[in-house]
Structures are given as C-alpha cells and as structure tokens.
Amino acid sequence: MDHSGRSCDPALAGPGRQTYFPGLDGLRAVAVLGVMLYHFGVLQVPGGFLGVDVFFVLSGYLITGQLWARWSGGCVEPGRFWAARIRRLFPAVLFLLAVTTAAMVTAGRDQLRAYLGDLAAAGTYTSNWWYIVHQRSYFEATGRPPVLQHLWSLAVEEQFYLVWPLVIVTVLLVCRSVAVRRRALLVVAALLAAGSAYAMWRGSAMDHVPGAGDPSRWYFGTDSHSMGLLVGAVLALWRSGAGFGPALPDLPPARLRTTLVGAGGLAAIGWTFASVDEFSTPLYRFGFAAVALVTAVVVAVATRPGLAATVLGWAPLRVVGQRSYGLYLWHWPVVCFTRPGLDVDLDGWRLLLLRFALTVVLTETSYRFVEQPVRRLGWREGWRRLVSARLSPVLASVTAVVVGLVAFEAVTPPPIDPTITAAAMVRPGDTVVHHRATPPTTAGTSSESSGPATTAPVSQPRRTMRRLPTTPTAVTSTSVTISPAGAAPSAGSTAHLTVAVYADSVALGAEGRMAQDFGAVINHATVGEQAWDLLPALTSAARVGQVPGDVVLLHTGDNGVVSPDQLQDALAALAGKRTVVLVVPRVPRPWEQHNLGVIRAAAAGFRNVRLADWYDVSTDHPEYFVGDGIHLSSTGVTAYTRMVRAAVLDS
C-alpha cells in the first residue's frame, strides 16, 4: 500500500526489478577474496579485511537504488522488502548455524557455552552489539577463535536494512514531490554518513585505539562503522536510482577519463588490501571513510557500460561474486577448525589449498541446495525440493542429535583440559609469589633462610595475594629472597636471583618451573592481560622505583596489539636498573607479525634488555603447546624456562 492507501502494483513492488550489474559481481569477488586471503593467513594480505567495507558500499548502493526505484512514486511496501531480504539472506545463515553447532559439539565443547550466546546473537542479527555489550574483543586469543565472529558485519547490514527503509518512508510521507524527496534523502544519507565517520574518528581517538587500547567498540559498532552503507546510499540517491528499472533512465556509457578514474580507485583498493593492517591508527581516524568513498567511485564506474564493467564482469569473477555471500559465511568457520599444528598437520600452501577447497565445497552446497531454491521458489517449495531429494530425514536426524548434545552440554560442567597447568588457571587480579625451596641450613644461618632438608629443589606451597594496585603510589615490592645467608652464587647459577614477572597467563603457566631455577618468582600477571593495560602500569611503577626483583621478565602481546610507544616507555623506565628479559611471543592470531616486529625492534635500543625469542625457540615444536596453540604444555614449560634462564645468564 502507498501512503494514501492505494494498492501497489506487485510488478513494481516485488524483488528483482533492478538492472543486473555484472561489474558489481566482479567487485564482490575482489572483496571476498581479499577477506578470505586475509583470514587464511598464508599470503600477506594485511588489509584484506577491508573487503567488508567494500561490501558495505555495494549493499548501501543496491538496496537504496532498489527502494528508490520502487517507492519514489509513493508505492511503499516495507513488509515486502523485509520479507525478500529474509528470504535472500537467512536460509544460508540458518544452514551455517546448524553446521557450526554440530562442529562445536563435536570438536569445540570446551567453548560451547560461549558459542551458544554467539549463536543466539547471530540468529537475531545482533552479533556486533552482543560482542560490544559483553566486551568480547576482536583481539581474542584464548582457545579456538570465535566461530561466528565474522557475522558482526551481517548484523550491521541487517540493522541498516531494518532502519533505513523506515527513514525513507518517513521522508516520503513528509515530502510531496519526487525531487524534494530525493534531495531530502540525499541530505539525510550524507549527514548520517558523516556522523558515522565522526563517531569512528572521535571514539577511536578518545580511547587512543588501536595502539593503546581495544578498538572493538568502534569497529563493531553500527553507529561508527555504517558509513560505507550510507555512502553507497548517497551514490544511489545522487543518481536518482538511474539504472534500477525501466521506469528510470539508463546509465550512460563510461568515457575514457571515467574509466581511468575507476581503474585508479580499484588500484587504491588493491593497495589498501596489500599495505594497511588493522593496527593502523589512520585507518580508525579517517581510513574507513576513505575506503568507502573510493569504493563508491569504483561502483559508479563499474555500473556504467564500458571497459571497467567488462573487465570486472569477466565470467570467472562473476561466478565468484555471485557466491560471495556464501564464501564469506563459510570461510571463517573453516579457518577456525583447520588450525595448523592443532586441528590439521598442514601449513603453508597445502593449508591454503585445503581451506579454499573446504570453503568452496560448503559454499556450493549451500548455494545450490539452500540459497537458490528458497530464493527462487520460496520457503515451502524450497523445502519440498529437499524432501524430494530425500535429504530431509538426514537433516532431521542431524538436527535432533545436535539439539540433544547442546541441551546436555548446557546442564553439565564444561570439560577442563588436563594439559593446562594450574598456574594458567589463576584468577584475574591475583599476584603470585613463588619461592624456591632452599637447601639445608648451616650454623649461623638466619631463621629467614631455614627450610626443610632436601636433596633436590622441591616447590613449596604457593602464596597467593591480592594483586597490587596499578597506581604507582600503591605498588610496593613483595620480594623475599630466601637463599642461604652468605652463600655465593655459583658460576652459571640463577638460584640467588629474584624474578618479577609482568605478563599474561602464558608466562604464568611457567611460574612453578621457574621457581626451581630462581631464588623467588614474583608474578604480577593476569589472565587475559592486554599490553595497553600492562605497559602503562609497569612504566608508572618503574619510574617511582617500585618494581621488585633482580630481573624483570616482560611477556606481553599474546592477547592483542603492542604499542611501540608504550613498550619504549616501559623499557626506558627500566633502563640501567636491572636485567630485563623481553619475550617475543608466539600467538597464532592476526596481530602476531605486528607484535614480532615491535618487540624485536624495541629490544635493540636498550643495553640492559635481553631478548628471549619464544617465537623462534618454539618453531616446529607443536608439543610445546596445549590445544589452543598459545599456552604451554609441560614440555613447553621446560623449554620456556630454559630460554628465560639462558637470557638472564647472557646478561
């Protein structure tokens, strides 16, 4: 019905009235391949994640162009639009959720409870706000990566699909003529796009992210990351929906100058894929908005007849682009269940080929048997096709098994990995002081150094205290050295040294073993500690002389990005006062290579810093790790402690 109560012509209101733009399928292919290569991790495509922002512009352009073509004359049916969107997008997601749930029940039960929350958010297209409200960071390192995390972008798009039609309806009701309606919507879309870009800039600058904080709030937020969708809407309205139906004018062919501009824009997108990473500060200040504007230029050229449209409309690119939605849905779960050295004994090109093959098979299955039947025939007829193919009993059986296992998991305690050391399970906020057992006392030895007679070092019970506050005025040394009084250290011995550990749970897992090689180990460590919290606190304490120990062990970068400036400040505050052992972490996450470069470069500038390169030491040694590929196994604890001790003796 239009706003005056007249019935709409179904031919005008129904889906599929837009002109097909083959060049946009090619651009979709470029975007999804960038995202896939970024996540597959074999080739260096650090900015491939920006393919999501290319998708945003495409979606905003196509949806707004369709709605303007159908509704500008007053024939408004938002219900029909939303039903078409659900029919187009939800079947593939439903299939994905069923398969990933079965996979989690089978291979990821230790994280199933967290997954169930993600599952509910994914099914309601609220994943991005679910992660924000529950402070679920994009920089998450513990265990298997969240299998449904990539659905945050679909949530942003679906929220746009819900709200933007209502904005259009409001403007259509308020304004009378088509020209006034278009100008009003153009202004609204431009202002909202500018507001979103401002929210990203202002919010990330205020939180000093990504270098000194977690950018997840601004990266996931609909308010701060919808500028691409709105820039696409601006382009569609600027053209007044041209090209989206026989009732509107066709787009004129692209001239040579226009084609060159489009080629330059496409080259710029390729450059960002190859050069920009998610830890770039300019990206959060203005980069996302710039990518959206450049993509809009490419879209403007690719939708006009000409060389650019022909090249991007090349048949193989079209095939990939037509399946880009499924490729995006399936590639990330494939990554999560094919971790090298953990889930599969592959790496390099063999792993890349395996991931591509699995993604393509799952995508094509979804495309042929789920997406296309429902899209063409509707829900009922699509289901009938499955029944006629005799797949429904199989689907019903699998669903029953999955539901039963999930229900069982929901009422039983999660399994505990027995290979994880007790130290790695210390509660966040604890400070652990672990003393080395001492040899038998001799005459004249003070009572402080007395201890049980032993023939080999035996760890005493751990003393756990509340973590020291991070404000410098409250930090006090808790070091107690209990080596025999007056005993001279032997050559190559570290038994007389106290080590203060500033780290996360990886180093915390080696605390018990280190206590056998050092006089005392003082752990100022927190499970899940981020560098942007740890380094400023350490810097403040060091500047007022309140860092205990003869040796400082600094291990950070497992849970997120390390800021070069913050690391430099911490090392400068510790300069010349004691030996600092700086660990280069191994963490199979997107920020690994960034942190390797930052930490190795920082160590070179300070004479008292000794680099303990755990990344190199642990290469080709999967036995050093438990199931997440990050925390230490018993073998890894021994190797890690040996590495730290060697670094101290080298000082």
Side-chain angles (χ1 to χ4, degrees):
M1 301 287 287
D2 67 14
H3 64 270
S4 64
R6 297 189 303 270
S7 296
C8 290
D9 181 357
L12 294 175
R17 290 291 296 168
Q18 80 276 13
T19 301
Y20 173 59
F21 301 111
L24 295 191
D25 271 337
L27 189 55
R28 284 192 185 96
V30 171
V32 77
L33 289 173
V35 174
M36 291 170 66
L37 290 173
Y38 166 73
H39 282 139
F40 286 172
V42 176
L43 299 176
Q44 292 299 314
V45 189
F49 67 97
L50 290 169
V52 169
D53 294 82
V54 174
F55 280 127
F56 281 173
V57 177
L58 287 168
S59 296
Y61 176 74
L62 290 170
I63 290 302
T64 304
Q66 293 174 47
L67 292 180
W68 180 253
R70 299 169 189 171
W71 295 1
S72 58
C75 181
V76 179
E77 286 194 332
R80 185 185 293 269
F81 165 76
W82 289 324
R85 287 289 85 197
I86 292 173
R87 187 169 61 249
R88 169 68 182 92
L89 300 175
F90 192 67
V93 170
L94 187 62
F95 182 41
L96 172 83
L97 298 181
V99 173
T100 55
T101 301
M104 287 297 294
V105 168
T106 303
R109 290 189 60 205
D110 57 321
Q111 293 177 290
L112 187 56
R113 291 192 175 187
Y115 169 82
L116 293 178
D118 295 355
L119 180 67
T124 55
Y125 291 102
T126 56
S127 295
N128 61 326
W129 291 109
W130 169 262
Y131 295 139
I132 291 171
V133 170
H134 290 82
Q135 298 182 344
R136 292 278 299 281
S137 175
Y138 182 78
F139 301 98
E140 176 68 43
T142 302
R144 192 182 304 277
V147 179
L148 302 178
Q149 180 172 274
H150 64 312
L151 299 186
W152 75 268
S153 63
L154 297 188
V156 173
E157 287 198 20
E158 288 300 322
Q159 291 156 28
F160 173 79
Y161 296 157
L162 177 64
V163 175
W164 184 236
L166 298 178
V167 174
I168 295 177
V169 169
T170 301
V171 172
L172 294 180
L173 290 173
V174 172
C175 304
R176 293 185 177 275
S177 71
V178 172
V180 173
R181 289 169 172 173
R182 186 181 73 87
R183 286 196 296 268
L185 279 173
L186 188 59
V187 170
V188 169
L191 289 175
L192 290 175
S196 178
Y198 176 79
M200 175 69 80
W201 168 74
R202 179 62 176 170
S204 63
M206 179 179 60
D207 288 348
H208 305 288
V209 300
D214 189 343
S216 299
R217 160 62 185 90
W218 308 108
Y219 187 74
F220 286 146
T222 309
D223 54 343
S224 52
H225 208 155
S226 59
M227 77 281 289
L229 290 156
L230 293 160
V231 166
V234 168
L235 176 61
L237 292 165
W238 181 268
R239 287 177 158 180
S240 193
F244 279 95
L248 295 170
D250 291 331
L251 291 165
R255 297 180 179 180
L256 177 61
R257 182 175 60 183
T258 304
T259 300
L260 292 176
V261 169
L266 191 61
I269 292 174
W271 178 84
T272 62
F273 283 10
S275 305
V276 178
D277 61 40
E278 68 265 47
F279 312 115
S280 166
T281 297
L283 178 65
Y284 291 85
R285 303 300 185 265
F286 58 82
F288 287 114
V291 169
L293 291 173
V294 171
T295 302
V297 171
V298 177
V299 170
V301 177
T303 49
R304 294 174 61 174
L307 181 61
T310 300
V311 172
L312 286 172
W314 183 44
L317 285 178
R318 288 206 316 272
V319 170
V320 174
Q322 289 164 357
R323 291 158 175 79
S324 59
Y325 179 54
L327 290 169
Y328 181 81
L329 288 181
W330 289 104
H331 85 282
W332 178 244
V334 166
V335 169
C336 294
F337 286 101
T338 56
R339 296 171 298 168
L342 298 172
D343 301 313
V344 295
D345 189 20
L346 296 172
D347 57 14
W349 285 98
R350 294 186 301 165
L351 178 62
L352 180 66
L353 293 174
L354 173 67
R355 287 174 165 175
F356 261 114
L358 290 174
T359 302
V360 168
V361 168
L362 290 166
T363 297
E364 193 64 19
T365 301
S366 175
Y367 184 78
R368 289 181 178 273
F369 297 105
V370 179
E371 296 176 53
Q372 289 300 97
V374 174
R375 186 180 184 183
R376 293 196 313 263
L377 306 171
W379 290 93
R380 292 182 180 179
E381 187 60 29
W383 177 252
R384 288 174 184 170
R385 289 292 180 94
L386 287 176
V387 172
S388 64
R390 298 181 180 178
L391 293 176
S392 57
V394 176
L395 293 175
S397 300
V398 171
T399 301
V401 171
V402 170
V403 170
L405 289 173
V406 169
F408 173 78
E409 185 66 26
V411 298
T412 56
I416 298 175
D417 189 339
T419 62
I420 298 178
T421 62
M425 299 175 64
V426 173
R427 297 171 300 172
D430 286 350
T431 292
V432 178
V433 182
H434 200 156
H435 298 290
R436 181 177 182 271
T438 57
T441 60
T442 58
T445 301
S446 68
S447 60
E448 272 191 316
S449 63
S450 63
T454 57
T455 57
V458 178
S459 298
Q460 293 180 342
R462 176 182 308 170
R463 294 196 300 167
T464 302
M465 298 176 289
R466 189 173 65 86
R467 192 179 188 222
L468 300 175
T470 56
T471 54
T473 57
V475 177
T476 58
S477 173
T478 57
S479 171
V480 179
T481 302
I482 57 174
S483 298
S490 62
S493 172
T494 57
H496 63 293
L497 297 176
T498 299
V499 180
V501 180
Y502 289 82
D504 53 40
S505 59
V506 174
L508 191 60
E511 177 261 337
R513 179 65 179 84
M514 282 195 293
Q516 299 179 22
D517 289 349
F518 294 90
V521 177
I522 305 174
N523 266 319
H524 297 275
T526 300
V527 176
E529 183 78 276
Q530 288 282 6
W532 51 70
D533 293 325
L534 171 64
L535 294 175
L538 175 59
T539 301
S540 298
R543 284 174 177 169
V544 296
Q546 294 180 338
V547 174
D550 306 303
V551 176
V552 174
L553 175 63
L554 177 55
H555 182 144
T556 190
D558 288 311
N559 297 303
V561 62
V562 176
S563 165
D565 293 338
Q566 289 183 340
L567 182 56
Q568 288 284 335
D569 288 345
L571 295 179
L574 294 166
K577 299 178 181 179
R578 73 206 75 206
T579 298
V580 176
V581 177
L582 180 61
V583 177
V584 180
R586 172 174 289 276
V587 49
R589 296 294 185 269
W591 53 89
E592 181 180 67
Q593 292 301 314
H594 170 90
N595 288 349
L596 293 182
V598 169
I599 293 171
R600 286 169 174 166
F606 299 92
R607 297 180 62 183
N608 67 318
V609 174
R610 298 294 177 265
L611 197 67
D613 202 323
W614 180 238
Y615 182 87
D616 280 351
V617 169
S618 61
T619 296
D620 298 326
H621 289 286
E623 72 276 9
Y624 287 176
F625 303 98
V626 297
D628 62 3
I630 300 171
H631 290 92
L632 306 177
S633 66
S634 57
T635 305
V637 164
T638 301
Y640 184 93
T641 306
R642 186 185 304 121
M643 174 193 69
V644 173
R645 186 171 181 273
V648 172
L649 292 174
D650 186 48
S651 60

